[in-house]
Amino acid sequence: MPKSQLIAKIKRMDVTNKIQRKHWKQMIGISLGDIALNDENLLAIRKFRPNEEVLVTITPMQQDMAEELERIKRVHPVEGILPETEGLSDLPANPLDLLTEEEEEGEEGQELLEITVLEEGEEDTLDPGEEVSKTFEF
């Protein structure tokens, strides 16, 4: 049997409820418009008979941003307990220790900078020859 995946816009949806004595039936009709077809899809569609049953899956092309954010949070957690992964277990507790270990191993050219965050009302005094390179306001 041929198999084809189509991209289309739903033009109209009809829901019909029928009651016949003790039986109740519901029929849903979906009309498609603006179907993107290529040669393979067109050949596959032509092989289906009008009353043949097919499996239809409706998936929106536009992603749901709430679901995408939840997926990103699961993959890249920012709080809580991180799962043990290879390579992370041997990291030091203080991230600055990484820089000092690299310098001890003989890598020259890296300079350890000390960053001081001033609270509101505090003044910073510069030593002679120092200058302010960047200022951030929050």
Side-chain angles (χ1 to χ4, degrees):
M1 284 302 283
K3 187 175 182 180
S4 181
Q5 183 176 1
L6 305 173
I7 297 174
K9 291 183 180 179
I10 295 178
K11 188 174 184 180
R12 191 174 79 201
M13 294 177 71
D14 296 324
V15 179
T16 307
N17 295 319
K18 290 185 179 181
I19 301 173
Q20 297 175 345
R21 295 184 187 154
K22 295 183 180 181
H23 300 290
W24 176 74
K25 292 181 181 179
Q26 186 176 50
M27 295 180 5
I28 299 174
I30 299 175
S31 300
L32 301 177
D34 298 335
I35 301 172
L37 291 175
N38 57 23
D39 291 337
E40 294 173 13
N41 290 344
L42 185 58
L43 290 174
I45 289 173
R46 293 178 84 186
K47 292 181 181 180
F48 286 104
R49 288 181 240 118
N51 291 333
E52 188 174 355
E53 290 184 359
V54 295
L55 175 65
V56 177
T57 304
I58 298 175
T59 307
M61 293 293 290
Q62 185 176 8
Q63 294 181 345
D64 185 11
M65 291 308 294
E67 289 178 6
E68 184 66 16
L69 285 174
E70 286 300 317
R71 185 191 68 79
I72 290 172
K73 285 180 183 177
R74 281 192 310 273
V75 174
H76 306 287
V78 293
E79 60 184 25
I81 300 172
L82 295 176
E84 287 294 324
T85 56
E86 293 181 23
L88 293 179
S89 59
D90 58 343
L91 289 176
N94 186 0
L96 293 177
D97 291 343
L98 289 174
L99 292 177
T100 56
E101 287 176 10
E102 288 177 2
E103 287 177 1
E104 291 171 3
E105 292 173 3
E107 286 187 25
E108 296 180 14
Q110 286 189 345
E111 186 178 321
L112 183 62
L113 298 176
E114 185 177 326
I115 298 174
T116 306
V117 178
L118 299 175
E119 298 296 327
E120 191 172 334
E122 287 185 84
E123 279 193 35
D124 187 20
T125 57
L126 299 176
D127 292 332
E130 289 184 334
E131 60 183 41
V132 176
S133 59
K134 274 196 175 177
T135 306
F136 301 98
E137 292 184 20
F138 297 100

